[in-house]
Amino acid sequence: MNISHIEHIGIAVKSLETAIPYWENVLGLKCYNIEEVKDQKVKTAFFKVGQTKIELLESTDPEGSIGKFIEKRGEGVHHVAFAVENIEGALAEAESKDVKLIDKTPRKGAEGLTIAFLHPKSTMGVLTELCEDKNK
Ligand code: ZN
């Protein structure tokens, strides 16, 4: 597959309200978007660091994947997202190389991106997201 850059790093937090001041007041980054992604049961807050974003994820439902992650492992880095040119092709390539897919077909993510996750069992424990900006 053809990865151009790290699109974002997803970080699970208990509370955006508590987390955002650290990113703004200590690290000096500006939160430019807060968005709820209902089907993923999260509220997200975004910061830009060069061309890479930081995506803070607050659970809106303890049964959602972020709710369960925090319950099991606490707050912290949740996933790494790579920008790819052809997400369908990238998924097919990963599957053909015996990587387990969470999403067999891409779906809508935050910020209008088309996204799909690779299973951490196949990626040495790093939940990996592929993203394509189809609006470009
Ligand atoms: Zn993400």
Side-chain angles (χ1 to χ4, degrees):
M1 64 185 76
N2 195 355
I3 291 173
S4 57
H5 61 284
I6 294 178
E7 213 285 330
H8 64 269
I9 297 170
I11 297 174
V13 300
K14 286 182 183 158
S15 153
L16 289 182
E17 202 185 319
T18 306
I20 287 171
Y22 163 73
W23 289 85
E24 291 199 323
N25 301 336
V26 180
L27 300 185
L29 300 168
K30 178 92 191 86
C31 176
Y32 69 91
N33 185 24
I34 292 182
E35 185 181 341
E36 187 168 351
V37 185
K38 285 225 164 71
D39 63 345
Q40 287 177 56
K41 302 181 168 71
V42 289
K43 216 162 89 180
T44 60
F46 284 93
F47 303 81
K48 277 200 181 99
V49 186
Q51 67 174 344
T52 298
K53 301 168 195 161
I54 299 293
E55 176 187 55
L56 302 183
L57 301 147
E58 177 193 294
S59 171
T60 56
D61 180 340
E63 291 307 306
S65 62
I66 295 299
K68 285 186 187 154
F69 177 89
I70 287 177
E71 170 77 34
K72 237 166 83 183
R73 301 179 49 179
E75 294 178 296
V77 173
H78 179 257
H79 64 272
V80 177
F82 296 107
V84 295
E85 266 163 27
N86 169 358
I87 193 166
E88 290 82 5
L91 278 180
E93 181 184 346
E95 193 168 34
S96 78
K97 292 177 176 171
D98 293 326
V99 171
K100 203 175 160 205
L101 308 181
I102 292 177
D103 300 298
K104 295 224 176 225
T105 50
R107 57 189 161 99
K108 283 275 157 244
E111 300 230 294
L113 295 174
T114 303
I115 66 158
F117 283 94
L118 308 182
H119 200 286
K121 279 200 174 114
S122 298
T123 60
M124 281 54 68
V126 179
L127 177 59
T128 300
E129 178 180 353
L130 303 178
C131 308
E132 183 180 6
D133 185 355
K134 289 188 186 282
N135 305 308
K136 280 197 296 207

